[in-house]
Amino acid sequence: MYNIVLFGPPGAGKGTQSEKLIQKYGLTHLSTGDLFRKHLGEGTELGLLAKKYMNEGHLVPDEVVIRMVEEKINETKNTEGFIFDGFPRTTAQAEALDEMLAHNGLSISGMIALDVPEETLKIRIKERGKTSNRVDDQDDEKINTRIKVYLDETLPVADYYSKQGKFQKINGVGEIEQIFKDITSVIDSY
Ligand code: AMP
């Protein structure tokens, strides 16, 4: 079983690569951003709560995210493992994830970080914004906030896994297929 954290700033290509990885390895894709957007679309209480944070590019509070992930893990049966995409985004979330998995006799295989320069991220997010219908993909201020939040609050999560000897960084710029190949060689080494 593989439990992989796909890591990187907004616009790094985590969603694109996750889609390919779930097909190759039969993994369950757990994207907290996608889950929140689903709640938002369905107008649930959770969606309404998350909306004000998401639209400004801020993080949804840890306890809300953790509860949602826990539910998703518990309701998923018969999987080859999980790809965590956009989660954990804080050290508290990473600790909670370790606990949840340990509870089920599982652990994280490793974190794979997609390395992409800031200028490229901004270009990619704006391009995605033309079709994504995401309020947070549209204007410079929100995009800048998301990148800043990533640098301030999320980057320490890389240290968390690094200390456990579970961190690997790969180049996230170039052909999608080449990046995919680089990711799969890390996974195949687990
Ligand atoms: P994403 O699709 O991963 O870029 O997430 C979109 C937005 O959802 C983020 O900007 C946050 O507002 C919220 N979000 C997604 N995942 C998390 C998380 N792990 N912790 C806190 N907020 C999150």
Side-chain angles (χ1 to χ4, degrees):
M1 198 152 163
Y2 296 121
N3 292 303
I4 296 152
V5 178
L6 198 55
F7 190 71
K14 302 186 293 294
T16 304
Q17 294 297 333
S18 291
E19 290 306 322
K20 297 174 70 63
L21 291 167
I22 56 174
Q23 282 184 24
K24 182 173 165 76
Y25 295 99
L27 302 172
T28 300
H29 185 198
L30 203 163
S31 157
T32 43
D34 285 353
L35 288 175
F36 281 131
R37 278 185 289 277
K38 188 161 176 277
H39 277 280
L40 231 144
E42 291 169 356
T44 68
E45 210 175 302
L46 180 61
L48 283 174
L49 194 158
K51 186 178 175 178
K52 60 177 188 290
Y53 299 99
M54 294 177 75
N55 286 355
E56 295 307 317
H58 293 294
L59 294 185
V60 177
D62 283 338
E63 59 276 15
V64 177
V65 186
I66 290 165
R67 208 178 330 123
M68 183 175 73
V69 170
E70 201 161 20
E71 263 173 34
K72 175 80 181 169
I73 291 178
N74 291 338
E75 76 185 25
T76 305
K77 308 284 175 227
N78 302 324
T79 183
E80 300 295 322
F82 289 93
I83 295 190
F84 296 99
D85 163 3
F87 177 88
R89 256 176 159 100
T90 63
T91 307
Q93 291 179 18
E95 286 166 355
L97 178 61
D98 271 351
E99 268 181 41
M100 277 182 236
L101 292 175
H103 220 77
N104 294 290
L106 303 171
S107 62
I108 289 295
S109 317
M111 168 185 266
I112 303 171
L114 297 173
D115 190 25
V116 178
E118 201 168 312
E119 281 317 304
T120 310
L121 298 173
K122 290 179 183 171
I123 295 166
R124 283 189 190 173
I125 296 172
K126 279 199 154 176
E127 194 55 36
R128 182 173 71 187
K130 291 179 187 164
T131 54
S132 71
N133 265 332
R134 284 178 55 170
V135 181
D136 60 345
D137 278 349
Q138 309 287 339
D139 69 86
D140 288 335
E141 199 188 322
K142 282 172 188 163
I143 295 170
N144 288 337
T145 302
R146 286 163 68 203
I147 293 174
K148 187 174 180 336
V149 166
Y150 168 79
L151 295 172
D152 293 347
E153 301 182 49
T154 302
L155 209 48
V157 181
D159 285 336
Y160 179 85
Y161 289 101
S162 193
K163 282 185 188 133
Q164 296 184 17
K166 290 183 176 177
F167 176 80
Q168 256 164 308
K169 183 156 81 177
I170 66 154
N171 175 17
V173 181
E175 292 292 322
I176 291 174
E177 282 307 321
Q178 182 57 49
I179 299 166
F180 180 60
K181 239 171 110 184
D182 293 345
I183 297 175
T184 58
S185 37
V186 174
I187 295 175
D188 293 338
S189 73
Y190 290 150

